[in-house]
Amino acid sequence: MTAPGRRSSTFTRLLRHGFTDPSAAERLLDAPELAPVRDDPVLLEALGATADPDLALHGLVRLLEAQSGRDLLDTVIAAKPLRDRLLGVLGASAALAEHLARHADDWRALVTYEPRDLHPGVAEFERGLTGATDPVSLRVAYRRCLLSIAARDVCGTTDVAESAAELADLATATLRAALALAGAAAPDDAAACRLAVIAMGKCGGHELNYVSDVDVIFVGEAAEGVDETKALRAATKLASHMMRICSETTVEGSIWPVDANLRPEGRNGPLVRTLSSHLAYYQRWAKTWEFQALLKARPVAGDLALGEEYVAALEPLVWKAAERENFVADVQKMRRRVIENIPLAEVDRQLKLGPGGLRDVEFAVQLLQLVHGRADASLRSGSTLEALKALAAGGYVARADFAQLDAAYRFLRSMEHRIQLFRLRRTHLVPEDEADLRRIGRSLGLRSDPVAELNREWRRHSTVVRRLHEKLFYRPLLDAVAQLAPGEVRLSSEAARERLVALGYADPAAALRHLEALASGVTRKAAIQRTLLPVLLGWFADSADPDAGLLNFRKVSDALGKTPWYLRLLRDEGAAAENLARVLSAGRLAPDLLMRAPEAVALLGDGDGGGLTPRPRAHLEQEILAAVNRADGAAQAVTAARGVRRRELFRTAAADIVGSYGTEARPAEADQGALVDRVGGAVSDLTAATLAGTLRAVVREGWGDTLPTRFAVIGMGRFGGHELGYGSDADVLFVHEPRDGVDEQEASRAANRVVSEMRRLLQIPSADPPLLIDADLRPEGKSGPLVRTLKSYGAYYRRWSLGWESQALLRAEPVAGDEDLGRRFVELIDPLRYPKAGLTDDAVREIRRLKARMETERLPRGADPKLHTKLGPGGLSDVEWTVQLLQLRHGATLPGLRTTRTRAALSAAAAAGLIPAQDAATLDEAWVLATRVRNAVMLVRGRAGDTFPSDTRELAAVGRYLGYGPGHVGDMLDDYRRTARRARAVVDALFYTG
């Protein structure tokens, strides 16, 4: 007896051998069944070698309790192979331990240890299932076979790939047995048809899990002399019965679900089709993912000759899938959708579907198979590991990447096997319980600190997969144009061309030339480029114009290649490289702005995005005025101001593109209105600061510090409303007021000279984009003087002002020049734009008449009205005129309406009850969308436009900016029409009849 307070030597030995509950283990060792071997060190050593010694001992005692003699115990002690196999299974699987306790003689399946038992195939498993005569006995026989697979697995006799292949072979034998049972139950149906069972997914790929849906497709044909309809009905009955035999739960549980949802039309399609029906579907209707799924197709049961015909008929279609439009984008989109559908709480524990999981490797391998398997039959394997090995052997995957991915995939699959084996349940979630993690870690040979080591290895392999799975497509493209180490296999130029075409590059020959120019050689610069380009190529391929992205990157790299900070910035600051890739491939405007001063790349490098935050107007004015004061003459000063404007336009455009596309670290901006407001505010502030600097430069050169007349610039239209787009002119009015003692004619000449010189300097051809000043909204339009005194404006507005001019003045806001003069101009026009009595009926009718005439007369010839963002139904003009009518009617009594901004006025009108909230939201959505389209057109084409581009690639780029993936241009146009149509209905109710 052990003294109180002292642990027995057995207790200590149990701890040393890995037991976590030595007290319970001591009690189990004292059980009568273990009495003869209680002190046998061989048993304790064997238990300590298992994944969970406590679980193994508990299972062994239960199994011994079910025995009628000592055969088992004697064999366990005497035969090491059985001891290792049996205890290994008991320590890894509570479910198989339960099976053994119920079927006390099934342990004998682990006794034999002949060469053929080491790697059994379908024939051996069919023999193991021979005695099954009903679904219950089939389950028992299946588990007995599963015992031997698990034993070889946990003992290390087979590796993870071999175990997965054995599980697939056992599934094949089981499907054949189940189909035989179904045929025996309905012999007339079996005689009426030929039925082939095609394994898909992991079963078809010879890489099945312990517990997984077995994906199948059924092909049926009529037996000779049987009507096809009758035969298909019979085949459907047989297939359904076979599925139930495997899937239904009995007293012995279930085997696994048989899933036929990969068939044409999925659940909505017939369960069984003829071969010709399958072929017709895949030729006309199949989607990209369906051809990807067919990579794994393998006949396994039923009429194998018919199954081989099926595979042979569809194989040519599979290898043409990469020629489909948007092929790579479809596959990548499918992968993103998988990740998006994972519950947030499970993402970090998802072994299969999460980032860096098994599916990342499988998708990458399958994509490369489809691209290159057309010309290289060695790649046509259903097994992920075999295909990955073939890809490396052919030079399609870099050997170093292959080695890392192969090791990572094997480790992750081994984890998946151990997780499922414990309770034989279908799961891909890494458990959170420490005991479960400890058992999994020990089963994988991690014995020092199983939980910590398991988590470390899991994260390490996941990181490898996450880092490599996309680079896998692109790195060999660089090897194709670079000098390789001896023994390395180069991707052929034809294979490189195929891959680039599949990735969306329209001119693969030019793309390869760019890659060679960037990455060839032995310089440090080329080495860094070889590190960067695999990732950049992926980001370029995610755009509508990968060719432009790569070409622009080469241009920027050529311009900045000798600067020490450029490549270092891209290599070390993750955000910079991705932001640059997005900007260079999103259209013409941003790259054009960047090429004129490539050093602006530095703006993209701020990790928290601060480098792309628009600068406040005060800071812009301060920088521009400081540059003006340092310059020699007005021309040099305005050149400096235009340089700042170009840089800030790039900053705004880059921020807009990155916010619209999103990045790996930050999703796309969900609030489209915020993006519009940010661009409108930034461009308007920048334009105001540029005008202020230009005004200072002109005055300083012509008159020194003081102009003979006070001078102010009044922003109008979108400029005054803080809603300028990238391609907008600056609508303005010029107002002046002679200083005391200055002759009015002299003051007028000075003011006109200022205006003329400002317009000239801002439009001089140069590397910087011009700023066009439009003063056509002035009194008397183009026929009136460019600049008037405040007094002259007052006289004109009192006597001659028309209704449209009062409406135009709703957007008037001082933007540059004499602040006091600007304030007094606003005081002058407020009674006009916010009349105290509101509008008369005649005035309302006149506004409506003008609007109707504008719709019919100003729309460009040949333009589709429904897609014209400015003048079309539900476009900008509709929304703005509706809001402005409310401002003219109610602005005098509702201060919230006294704003130059459309969205703010619309919000104020809804808050005041002038418009239902839902109608206001409809108008706001339409206005924001139309503005976004105009911004997109300018970003993509590099010139302004009010309609969607006709060029397909440009149209796709507009779609990407607006959040539509490849192949969804039609959805974009439909959504625009729908949004505009709803807005027009509101405009008809509020503007024309309200």
Side-chain angles (χ1 to χ4, degrees):
M1 181 177 174
T2 304
R6 295 186 61 189
R7 290 178 173 173
S8 69
S9 59
T10 304
F11 187 99
T12 305
R13 277 193 302 148
L14 291 170
L15 277 177
R16 194 168 62 247
H17 281 95
F19 287 83
T20 57
D21 190 352
S23 299
E26 277 189 297
R27 290 193 296 274
L28 289 171
L29 286 169
D30 287 336
E33 291 78 13
L34 284 176
V37 295
R38 179 180 295 115
D39 298 318
D40 192 324
V42 171
L43 177 63
L44 210 54
E45 288 287 342
L47 287 167
T50 65
D52 187 338
D54 302 83
L55 184 67
L57 178 57
H58 182 266
L60 178 62
V61 170
R62 286 195 64 199
L63 179 55
L64 289 170
E65 288 172 348
Q67 302 300 306
S68 56
R70 285 194 45 168
D71 280 4
L72 172 60
L73 191 58
D74 292 343
T75 310
V76 164
I77 296 302
K80 177 174 168 51
L82 171 68
R83 182 168 62 244
D84 291 343
R85 287 179 170 196
L86 178 62
L87 296 183
V89 169
L90 293 174
S93 177
L96 288 177
E98 180 67 30
H99 172 86
L100 284 167
R102 288 201 314 274
H103 302 280
D105 286 337
D106 276 6
W107 63 270
R108 297 182 188 279
L110 303 178
V111 172
T112 53
Y113 201 77
E114 299 174 12
R116 69 175 185 174
D117 297 310
L118 295 182
H119 301 292
V122 176
E124 286 76 18
F125 288 125
E126 284 189 295
R127 281 197 296 272
L129 300 176
T130 300
T133 56
D134 56 53
V136 173
S137 59
L138 181 61
R139 280 152 178 69
V140 175
Y142 174 84
R143 291 288 172 93
R144 190 182 307 121
C145 292
L146 195 63
L147 267 172
S148 63
I149 295 176
R152 286 186 293 275
D153 182 9
V154 298
C155 291
T157 307
T158 54
D159 65 17
V160 66
E162 291 168 328
S163 298
E166 289 182 14
L167 288 164
D169 285 341
L170 176 55
T172 296
T174 306
L175 288 170
R176 291 178 182 179
L179 185 57
L181 290 176
D188 290 344
D189 287 337
C193 65
R194 298 171 63 199
L195 177 64
V197 183
I198 312 296
M200 305 288 285
K202 282 190 162 48
C203 183
H206 231 213
E207 50 187 16
L208 197 61
N209 299 327
Y210 276 101
V211 188
S212 174
D213 289 359
V214 170
D215 296 309
V216 298
I217 285 177
F218 296 106
V219 188
E221 295 289 348
E224 190 172 346
V226 179
D227 175 70
E228 185 177 286
T229 304
K230 180 182 176 182
L232 286 177
R233 208 162 35 236
T236 301
K237 289 179 185 177
L238 286 176
S240 300
H241 192 187
M242 186 204 82
M243 293 173 70
R244 290 197 303 276
I245 289 171
C246 296
S247 305
E248 286 181 347
T249 301
T250 70
V251 291
E252 288 293 338
S254 68
I255 301 177
W256 17 246
V258 177
D259 188 342
N261 288 335
L262 290 177
R263 67 186 185 270
E265 299 180 76
R267 293 178 182 175
N268 298 320
L271 184 63
V272 182
R273 287 176 182 258
T274 62
L275 177 55
S276 60
S277 175
H278 276 285
L279 195 56
Y281 173 84
Y282 283 105
Q283 286 172 335
R284 293 194 62 188
W285 308 111
K287 297 181 174 62
T288 298
W289 70 264
E290 293 177 280
F291 293 108
Q292 185 182 358
L294 285 171
L295 283 170
K296 307 279 189 185
R298 181 171 64 94
V300 291
D303 191 319
L304 295 181
L306 176 59
E308 293 294 348
E309 287 181 52
Y310 170 88
V311 171
L314 291 182
E315 190 175 41
L317 300 180
V318 173
W319 302 115
K320 289 180 180 177
E323 300 170 9
R324 294 163 64 91
E325 189 177 358
N326 300 319
F327 160 70
V328 171
D330 284 348
V331 176
Q332 292 175 333
K333 182 171 62 179
M334 195 161 44
R335 174 72 190 109
R336 283 194 294 269
R337 189 182 301 131
V338 167
I339 295 174
E340 288 165 2
N341 289 337
I342 302 172
L344 199 58
E346 295 181 1
V347 169
D348 290 337
R349 296 192 294 125
Q350 254 290 352
L351 200 59
K352 178 181 178 181
L353 304 177
L358 293 163
R359 190 59 64 87
D360 273 348
V361 182
E362 292 160 1
F363 265 62
V365 168
Q366 289 164 21
L367 181 54
L368 289 175
Q369 282 182 279
L370 288 170
V371 170
H372 298 297
R374 290 175 291 175
D376 189 343
S378 71
L379 306 181
R380 299 177 184 181
S381 169
S383 160
T384 300
L385 288 172
E386 286 300 317
L388 184 57
K389 182 178 178 182
L391 285 164
Y396 304 101
V397 170
R399 288 189 177 181
D401 292 348
F402 157 70
Q404 291 188 70
L405 278 175
D406 182 82
Y409 190 74
R410 288 175 183 273
F411 181 85
L412 296 173
R413 282 300 302 271
S414 296
M415 271 188 77
E416 182 182 47
H417 277 194
R418 297 300 191 269
I419 291 168
Q420 293 183 349
L421 182 59
F422 179 49
R423 297 199 184 280
L424 288 181
R425 289 179 183 166
R426 182 174 180 267
T427 179
H428 307 287
L429 286 180
V430 178
E432 296 177 293
D433 182 73
E434 188 161 326
D436 290 329
L437 294 172
R438 181 177 183 274
R439 183 189 63 258
I440 297 166
R442 283 175 58 89
S443 76
L444 295 173
L446 308 173
R447 297 299 174 97
S448 300
D449 185 352
V451 176
E453 289 180 63
L454 176 67
N455 280 320
R456 185 165 57 247
E457 286 298 294
W458 171 33
R459 298 302 178 192
R460 180 174 71 82
H461 286 297
S462 291
T463 300
V464 165
V465 172
R466 192 159 54 241
R467 191 181 76 246
L468 289 182
H469 94 275
E470 286 191 348
K471 288 184 183 179
L472 209 61
F473 310 141
Y474 309 111
R475 187 172 289 164
L477 291 170
L478 302 182
D479 292 343
V481 298
Q483 293 181 346
L484 300 184
E488 281 289 326
V489 182
R490 183 190 300 272
L491 192 68
S492 71
S493 58
E494 179 59 25
R497 190 197 69 79
E498 285 179 345
R499 190 173 301 191
L500 285 163
V501 169
L503 291 166
Y505 288 82
D507 188 350
L512 283 172
R513 287 197 300 273
H514 299 324
L515 291 176
E516 184 173 10
L518 289 163
S520 61
V522 294
T523 64
R524 181 173 173 273
K525 181 175 79 171
I528 296 176
Q529 287 281 21
R530 286 194 290 272
T531 302
L532 290 169
L533 278 164
V535 185
L536 289 167
L537 284 169
W539 286 324
F540 294 148
D542 191 39
S543 74
D545 195 349
D547 300 83
L550 181 56
L551 172 61
N552 289 331
F553 180 68
R554 181 181 174 182
K555 288 179 179 178
V556 173
S557 295
D558 287 347
L560 293 177
K562 294 182 180 179
T563 58
W565 55 267
Y566 167 63
L567 289 174
R568 189 170 64 241
L569 171 80
L570 298 184
R571 182 192 64 192
D572 299 340
E573 180 60 71
E578 185 174 6
N579 290 346
L580 180 62
R582 299 297 183 204
V583 166
L584 292 181
S585 56
R588 295 179 185 171
L589 178 65
D592 284 351
L593 292 169
L594 181 60
M595 297 309 170
R596 290 165 180 168
E599 65 277 2
V601 165
L603 297 175
L604 304 171
D606 193 334
D608 62 4
L612 297 180
T613 302
R615 298 174 65 202
R617 176 173 166 180
H619 291 185
L620 293 171
E621 274 198 32
Q622 185 179 21
E623 180 183 2
I624 289 175
L625 291 175
V628 167
N629 290 335
R630 290 193 300 269
D632 294 328
Q636 190 183 96
V638 175
T639 297
R642 289 175 66 180
V644 173
R645 177 172 177 265
R646 184 239 319 119
R647 183 197 69 209
E648 295 303 319
L649 276 175
F650 172 74
R651 187 198 306 268
T652 302
D656 190 17
I657 291 166
V658 171
S660 297
Y661 272 66
T663 63
E664 291 182 357
R666 190 176 301 178
E669 172 69 64
D671 186 350
Q672 304 291 296
L675 284 169
V676 164
D677 291 345
R678 200 174 304 144
V679 171
V683 178
S684 300
D685 285 347
L686 179 56
T687 301
T690 305
L691 289 177
T694 304
L695 176 59
R696 170 75 66 85
V698 170
V699 170
R700 204 176 67 146
E701 181 166 272
W703 294 273
D705 291 334
T706 307
L707 189 67
T709 184
R710 295 180 181 86
F711 189 91
V713 184
I714 310 299
M716 298 289 286
R718 299 194 179 287
F719 186 15
H722 299 259
E723 297 161 0
L724 282 180
Y726 299 110
S728 302
D729 295 346
D731 288 319
V732 298
L733 298 178
F734 297 108
V735 57
H736 77 103
E737 184 179 66
R739 297 186 184 278
D740 292 343
V742 175
D743 177 69
E744 190 164 321
Q745 285 191 337
E746 179 190 349
S748 179
R749 280 195 300 272
N752 275 284
R753 218 174 104 199
V754 166
V755 171
S756 176
E757 191 66 2
M758 285 180 68
R759 299 178 81 180
R760 184 185 71 83
L761 290 170
L762 288 170
Q763 295 177 48
I764 291 176
S766 76
D768 301 310
L771 174 56
L772 302 178
I773 296 176
D774 186 340
D776 288 353
L777 291 175
R778 65 189 184 269
E780 301 177 73
K782 293 180 180 179
S783 303
L786 269 175
V787 58
R788 289 175 180 261
T789 63
L790 182 64
K791 183 177 176 182
S792 174
Y793 274 107
Y796 175 85
Y797 287 137
R798 278 193 303 273
R799 295 189 62 189
W800 310 109
S801 178
L802 301 173
W804 71 264
E805 290 177 301
S806 296
Q807 185 178 347
L809 289 171
L810 286 167
R811 306 284 219 121
E813 180 175 290
V815 293
D818 191 294
E819 292 182 7
D820 179 65
L821 180 59
R823 178 184 55 76
R824 285 187 285 128
F825 181 85
V826 169
E827 290 174 354
L828 169 69
I829 64 172
D830 271 352
L832 287 168
R833 56 182 179 175
Y834 309 126
K836 287 185 178 179
L839 290 178
T840 64
D841 291 343
D842 287 344
V844 171
R845 277 193 295 272
E846 178 62 16
I847 290 172
R848 290 171 176 165
R849 188 185 64 79
L850 278 173
K851 174 74 169 72
R853 194 179 80 187
M854 185 176 71
E855 288 178 14
T856 57
E857 293 179 1
R858 293 181 58 187
L859 195 69
R861 185 186 300 274
D864 181 353
K866 293 179 181 177
L867 292 176
H868 199 280
T869 59
K870 183 176 181 181
L871 300 175
L876 296 171
S877 176
D878 267 1
V879 177
E880 289 165 2
W881 280 60
T882 301
V883 171
Q884 289 161 13
L885 183 59
L886 292 171
Q887 288 180 286
L888 288 166
R889 280 176 150 177
H890 306 284
T893 57
L894 294 173
L897 291 174
R898 297 176 207 158
T899 174
T900 60
R901 304 175 190 228
T902 302
R903 298 188 72 210
L906 185 57
S907 177
L914 299 178
I915 176 175
Q918 184 58 50
D919 287 352
T922 299
L923 293 179
D924 184 73
E925 180 187 10
W927 189 90
V928 166
L929 178 57
T931 304
R932 290 266 292 155
V933 171
R934 294 180 91 204
N935 285 345
V937 169
M938 184 65 189
L939 285 170
V940 169
R941 302 177 68 195
R943 61 182 188 273
D946 293 317
T947 60
F948 288 89
S950 56
D951 178 83
T952 53
R953 182 158 275 198
E954 290 178 348
L955 190 61
V958 170
R960 286 291 288 115
Y961 171 84
L962 294 176
Y964 294 87
H968 289 277
V969 164
D971 294 338
M972 171 182 69
L973 297 177
D974 287 345
D975 288 347
Y976 181 84
R977 292 187 187 99
R978 189 181 307 112
T979 302
R981 189 168 58 246
R982 287 200 301 259
R984 179 61 182 212
V986 174
V987 170
D988 285 340
L990 294 176
F991 183 82
Y992 285 110
T993 60

